[in-house]
């Protein structure tokens, strides 16, 4: 009897996985019911397939979308990663419609999106780095400049750039940052606070008529480093003109020229550029510098708006410097998130 019980138990245990396999096959059969022997699965969903192909075309050819009408090209490029949200929607609609044509067509935009942005989904940060920088558009209407400054000082960055400074708020930032940063300089509405000596401080003309960009040499332990701080003009939405950015584009070109003329080989740009790395209007800058987020960040690093970040318009970019890590910092009283990056100066060009 004991032997029979043992054999029965063994037989039941062996049949368990088989029964689970049978249940899975029955579930698959139910899901596929209605698809088999239905020639219409290839004829249904042609509109969905066309939308999928159009989506892939927009992502592939975004640089060809003209800016002549409402600066539509730059607007598309600003929020380009978010077009990926349409892909699961198209997949769901394709399943509802039971359209094999639509589901196959959706593969194209999925592949395009992964090719463009899939690398941002992984953590590319390294463990090295000997210098940390941070930048923050503090917002002219920030109700708590002292608290904002305290959070930035707690980041431990070697230099901190601030944009959208007002004359009335500058003393508060100076006082709050004084203990952590011995050196600082303010030009117009932008400023730079540093733990290391600053020389060669000057305003940078970005064709606005007032100062929203500056340059300084930071005497780091690894040698001289040129640091630019910039706040490019905001992009505007006008009823009669749509999405407009003419001032921003002109300023971006002027900033790019200034960086190209820089004599020091190691350069870092910190600031609010009011545009993403995909925006063609920033080509004068992005063509000669690397984004720390793209090279060594984790995720998209969206920085604006702070309540629900949808785009990375605040940038840390480098030239002749090796990025090691890049991230966003916790929210302050601003409508932007501060961002920070770690770079390696010891192994960079000198």
């Amino acid at each position: 009897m004991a032997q029979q019980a043992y054999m029965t138990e063994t037989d039941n245990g062996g049949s368990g996985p088989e029964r689970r396999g049978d249940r899975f096959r029955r579930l698959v059969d139910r899901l596929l019911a209605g698809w088999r022997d239905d020639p219409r699965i290839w004829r249904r969903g042609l509109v969905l397939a066309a939308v999928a192909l159009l989506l892939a075309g927009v992502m592939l050819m975004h640089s060809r979308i003209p800016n002549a009408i409402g600066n539509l090209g730059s607007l598309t490029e600003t929020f380009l990663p978010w077009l990926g949200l349409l892909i699961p929607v198209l997949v769901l609609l394709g399943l509802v419609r039971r359209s094999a044509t639509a589901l196959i067509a959706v593969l194209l935009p999925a592949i395009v999106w992964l090719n463009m942005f899939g690398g941002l989904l992984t953590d590319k940060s390294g463990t090295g780095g000997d210098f940390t920088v941070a930048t923050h558009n503090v917002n002219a209407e920030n109700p708590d400049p002292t608290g904002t400054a305290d959070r930035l000082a707690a980041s431990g960055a070697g230099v901190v750039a601030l944009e959208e400074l007002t004359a009335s708020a500058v003393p508060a930032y100076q006082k709050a940052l004084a203990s952590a940063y011995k050196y600082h300089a303010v030009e117009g509405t932008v400023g730079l606070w540093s733990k290391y000596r600053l020389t060669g401080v000057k305003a940078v003309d970005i064709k606005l008529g007032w100062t929203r960009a500056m340059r300084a040499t930071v005497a780091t332990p690894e040698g001289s480093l040129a640091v630019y701080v910039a706040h490019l003009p905001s992009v505007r939405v006008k009823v009669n003109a749509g999405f407009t950015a003419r001032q921003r584009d002109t300023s971006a070109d002027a900033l790019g020229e200034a960086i190209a003329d820089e004599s020091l080989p190691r350069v870092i740009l910190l600031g609010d550029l009011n545009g993403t790395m995909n925006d063609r209007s920033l080509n004068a800058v992005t063509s000669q510098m690397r984004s720390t987020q793209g090279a060594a960040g984790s995720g998209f690093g969206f920085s604006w708006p702070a309540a629900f970040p949808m785009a990375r318009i605040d940038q840390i970019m480098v030239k002749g410097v090796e990025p090691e890590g890049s991230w966003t910092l916790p929210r302050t009283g601003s409508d932007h998130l501060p961002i920070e990056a770690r770079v390696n100066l010891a192994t960079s060009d000198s």
Side-chain angles (χ1 to χ4, degrees), residues 207-229:
K207 312 300 181 183
L208 283 174
W210 69 97
T211 302
R212 283 177 46 154
M214 63 177 290
R215 179 256 184 227
T217 298
V218 180
T220 77
E222 300 298 335
S224 296
L225 172 70
V227 176
Y228 285 75
V229 183

Side-chain angles (χ1 to χ4, degrees), residues 13 17 26 103 110 133 136-137 142 169 177 208 222 224 232 245 247 279-280 283 293-294 296 348:
R26 286 197 297 270
L103 292 176
V133 297
H136 190 24
N137 179 326
N142 191 323
L177 294 170
L208 283 174
E222 300 298 335
S224 296
L232 297 187
Q247 271 193 326
D279 192 335
R280 76 195 71 174
N283 279 349
Q293 186 67 27
S348 301

Side-chain angles (χ1 to χ4, degrees), residues 320-344:
V321 173
E322 188 62 33
E324 293 288 348
S326 188
W327 56 91
T328 58
L329 293 170
R331 187 178 179 182
T332 69
S334 173
D335 57 341
H336 292 242
L337 292 179
I339 60 175
E340 190 171 17
R342 185 177 66 256
V343 300
N344 197 328

Side-chain angles (χ1 to χ4, degrees), residues 37 43 90 123 128 153 157 164 176 186 194 252-253 265 283 293-294 316 326 341:
D37 302 322
R43 295 198 295 268
L90 290 173
D123 187 353
E164 209 165 297
V186 175
S194 173
D253 290 342
N283 279 349
Q293 186 67 27
I316 298 176
S326 188

Side-chain angles (χ1 to χ4, degrees), residues 183-237:
Y183 307 94
H184 82 276
V186 175
E187 294 285 342
T189 62
V190 297
L192 184 66
W193 274 257
S194 173
K195 294 181 178 181
Y196 310 100
R197 185 167 56 91
L198 299 177
T199 58
V201 176
K202 63 179 181 180
V204 175
D205 183 11
I206 56 173
K207 312 300 181 183
L208 283 174
W210 69 97
T211 302
R212 283 177 46 154
M214 63 177 290
R215 179 256 184 227
T217 298
V218 180
T220 77
E222 300 298 335
S224 296
L225 172 70
V227 176
Y228 285 75
V229 183
H231 182 196
L232 297 187
S234 300
V235 172
R236 304 294 183 186
V237 178

